[in-house]
């Protein structure tokens, strides 16, 4: 009888030690890769770029049940899935917004819902309902309240039906399911690609499915070294870094992205990134020299040794406040007397310009 790893869904095998699903003996419950992740945080096989999204959508489409689409509020733009309803025709979708506790407490749930509704409409994505969850990493009253909200949504929108948890890699699907089932069976880590195949969990009168994270090749998290993920992914509420500027200024996000702001007068730049990721500010005319001198040192982590090799985005003209989102790692909110904004990132990384979330 074929067995599958209960942590990541990989088919267990004991023929190839360096391949997915390897176990010393076939009576094991977890593959060697999951065992190393769970006990040592050691990713022996890195699948940040390795799970084909089209195959995952085909598997989800074949499953019977209601889709609970897990979206990371902090990394909202990179969590969106273009043409989702076309990829899962006929599926009822409940949107589960996670990591509420990472965002500033001054941002109300009502404003989050309004922002999400507007972005979904712009992307032509239809969902049955939306819920907001937080506190899943640290537990406590907020996590308990979130689980009550999720349980109510399951009973309302998926009564006596199977439940399919789906989302972009690192959205928190497996953590959410473990919390829901008061279990630690599913393997979780910061690394995209931890869940390898569909994991089937029998739960009373219905079945839960944990599916592989949808790969996002346009997110910084897909490209950086695994050791750098703990710097980029926030586990505590972010602290907005507010800067008033009166002349052209450049902002370096570690060594991963650079935003050059040209202003006609006074402007405000607010940075929303993990507390562990440094944002350095300086004059635009000195930005290239700063990058060349400090890349890999003060400007870390990095993907590019020179700004010349990076992709450049230009912000559109705007009124009010504009979010400049670096997919996967956070955003700047810019307002004031702005002339032009240019953003440099690793080739293939997306930058989204949107109406301000906060």
């Amino acid at each position: 009888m074929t067995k599958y790893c209960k942590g990541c869904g990989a088919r267990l095998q004991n023929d190839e030690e360096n391949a997915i699903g390897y176990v010393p003996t076939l009576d094991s419950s977890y593959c060697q890769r999951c065992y190393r992740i769970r006990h040592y945080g050691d990713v022996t096989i890195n699948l940040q770029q390795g799970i084909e999204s089209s195959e995952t959508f085909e598997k989800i489409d074949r499953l019977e049940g209601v889709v609970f689409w897990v979206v990371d509020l902090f990394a909202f733009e990179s969590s969106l899935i273009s043409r989702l309803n076309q990829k899962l025709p006929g599926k009822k979708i409940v949107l589960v917004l996670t990591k509420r506790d990472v965002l500033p407490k001054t941002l109300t749930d009502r404003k989050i819902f309004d922002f999400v509704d507007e972005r979904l409409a712009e992307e032509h994505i239809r969902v049955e309902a939306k819920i907001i969850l937080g506190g899943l990493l640290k537990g406590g009253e907020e996590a308990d309240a979130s689980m009550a909200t999720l349980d109510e949504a399951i009973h309302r929108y998926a009564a006596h039906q199977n439940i399919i948890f789906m989302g972009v890699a690192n959205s928190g699907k497996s953590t959410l399911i473990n919390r829901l089932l008061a279990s630690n069976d599913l393997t979780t880590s910061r690394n995209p690609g931890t869940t390898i195949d569909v994991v089937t969990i029998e739960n009373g009168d219905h079945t839960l499915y944990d599916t592989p994270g949808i790969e996002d090749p346009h997110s910084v998290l897909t490209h950086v070294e695994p050791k750098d993920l703990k710097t980029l992914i926030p586990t505590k509420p972010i602290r907005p870094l507010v800067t008033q500027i009166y002349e052209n200024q450049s902002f370096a996000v570690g060594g991963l992205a650079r935003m050059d702001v040209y202003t006609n007068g006074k402007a405000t730049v607010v940075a929303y990134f993990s507390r562990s990721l440094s944002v350095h500010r300086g004059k635009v005319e000195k930005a290239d020299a700063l990058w060349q001198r400090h890349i890999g040192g003060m400007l870390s982590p990095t993907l590019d040794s020179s700004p010349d090799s990076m992709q450049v985005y230009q912000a559109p003209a705007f009124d009010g406040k504009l979010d400049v989102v670096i997919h996967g790692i956070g955003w700047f909110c810019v307002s004031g007397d702005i002339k032009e904004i240019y953003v440099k990132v690793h080739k293939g990384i997306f930058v989204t310009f949107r109406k301000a979330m906060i």
Side-chain angles (χ1 to χ4, degrees):
M1 178 180 175
T2 303
K3 290 188 61 178
Y4 296 88
C5 174
K6 65 187 296 185
C8 71
R11 183 179 66 84
L12 298 180
Q13 55 86 18
N14 63 350
D15 297 320
E16 297 181 59
E17 187 171 353
N18 295 321
I20 292 295
Y22 175 77
V23 286
T25 60
L26 290 176
D27 59 355
S28 303
S29 296
Y30 292 94
C31 68
Q32 193 81 341
R33 176 175 178 266
C34 276
Y35 181 85
R36 298 290 304 181
I37 292 174
R38 295 166 71 88
H39 292 278
Y40 304 106
D42 180 13
V43 181
T44 55
I45 302 176
N46 184 7
L47 291 176
Q48 283 173 269
Q49 302 179 50
I51 300 177
E52 181 57 47
S53 295
S54 60
E55 293 180 9
T56 300
F57 278 117
E58 289 174 5
K59 292 176 181 178
I60 295 171
D61 190 39
R62 289 196 296 266
L63 296 172
E64 292 291 334
V66 177
V67 171
F68 278 66
W69 174 29
V70 182
V71 168
D72 179 348
L73 275 168
F74 176 73
F76 183 81
E77 298 303 329
S78 57
S79 291
L80 285 179
I81 299 173
S82 177
R83 298 176 59 250
L84 178 59
N85 299 105
Q86 287 76 21
K87 291 173 180 174
L88 299 175
K91 283 281 194 293
K92 183 189 293 186
I93 299 172
V94 176
L95 177 58
V96 182
L97 300 162
T98 63
K99 304 186 184 178
R100 168 68 179 90
D101 45 321
V102 170
L103 299 180
K105 293 188 180 298
T106 53
L107 179 62
T108 65
D109 285 1
R110 182 68 267 160
K111 190 167 184 180
I112 292 174
F113 280 130
D114 289 344
F115 166 81
V116 170
D117 284 342
E118 188 168 340
R119 289 294 292 117
L120 291 180
E122 290 170 353
E123 297 294 331
H124 306 289
I125 297 174
R126 302 180 308 279
V127 298
E128 187 82 8
K130 301 175 294 295
I131 60 174
I132 296 177
L133 307 182
L136 301 182
L137 291 175
K138 64 180 181 180
E141 291 183 1
E142 187 173 8
D144 292 341
S146 291
M147 287 303 97
T149 299
L150 178 59
D151 192 58
E152 180 184 353
I154 289 172
H155 283 88
R156 177 178 297 183
Y157 301 106
H160 309 297
Q161 298 182 68
N162 297 334
I163 302 165
I164 307 162
F165 284 94
M166 178 206 75
V168 169
N170 269 117
S171 58
K173 292 181 293 80
S174 299
T175 299
L176 178 60
I177 297 171
N178 278 344
R179 176 72 65 173
L180 176 65
L181 300 178
S183 141
N184 195 34
D185 285 350
L186 297 175
T187 301
T188 62
S189 79
R190 293 187 179 92
N191 293 74
T194 300
T195 303
I196 292 172
D197 207 337
V198 175
V199 180
T200 302
I201 306 164
E202 299 299 335
N203 185 48
D205 61 351
H206 58 251
T207 301
L208 272 67
Y209 299 103
D210 185 20
T211 61
I214 305 299
E215 181 189 7
D216 179 10
H218 307 296
S219 167
V220 172
L221 302 182
T222 307
H223 297 271
V224 295
E225 293 292 327
K227 63 180 177 60
D228 294 324
L229 292 170
K230 64 181 180 181
T231 300
L232 306 180
I233 300 173
T235 56
K236 298 178 180 179
I238 53 177
R239 292 173 177 166
L241 175 64
V242 182
T243 305
Q244 304 290 339
I245 63 174
Y246 302 87
E247 58 182 351
N248 301 337
Q249 295 281 282
S250 180
F251 297 83
V253 184
L256 297 170
R258 192 177 105 191
M259 182 178 71
D260 296 339
V261 181
Y262 295 83
T263 178
N264 293 315
K266 181 181 177 181
T268 301
V269 177
V270 185
Y272 295 92
F273 297 92
S274 167
R275 297 185 189 186
S276 302
L277 182 58
S278 299
V279 177
H280 298 275
R281 168 192 169 193
K283 294 183 178 180
V284 168
E285 57 267 28
K286 295 182 178 180
D288 283 350
L290 176 74
W291 194 278
Q292 300 287 11
R293 189 164 59 250
H294 294 290
I295 194 68
M298 181 178 73
L299 301 182
S300 293
T302 186
L303 290 170
D304 298 86
S305 59
S306 168
D308 295 335
S309 64
M310 301 172 80
Q311 183 173 349
V312 180
Y313 289 83
Q314 182 177 3
F318 66 97
D319 293 319
K321 298 193 296 183
L322 178 76
D323 280 349
V324 179
V325 183
I326 316 299
H327 277 221
I329 60 171
W331 71 95
F332 292 99
C333 181
V334 184
S335 60
D337 196 358
I338 301 296
K339 182 179 179 182
E340 292 177 315
I341 299 174
Y342 295 93
V343 183
K344 293 186 176 183
V345 292
H346 184 66
K347 286 183 178 178
I349 302 300
F350 278 179
V351 173
T352 294
F353 303 102
R354 70 186 184 196
K355 181 179 177 181
M357 173 191 272
I358 300 175

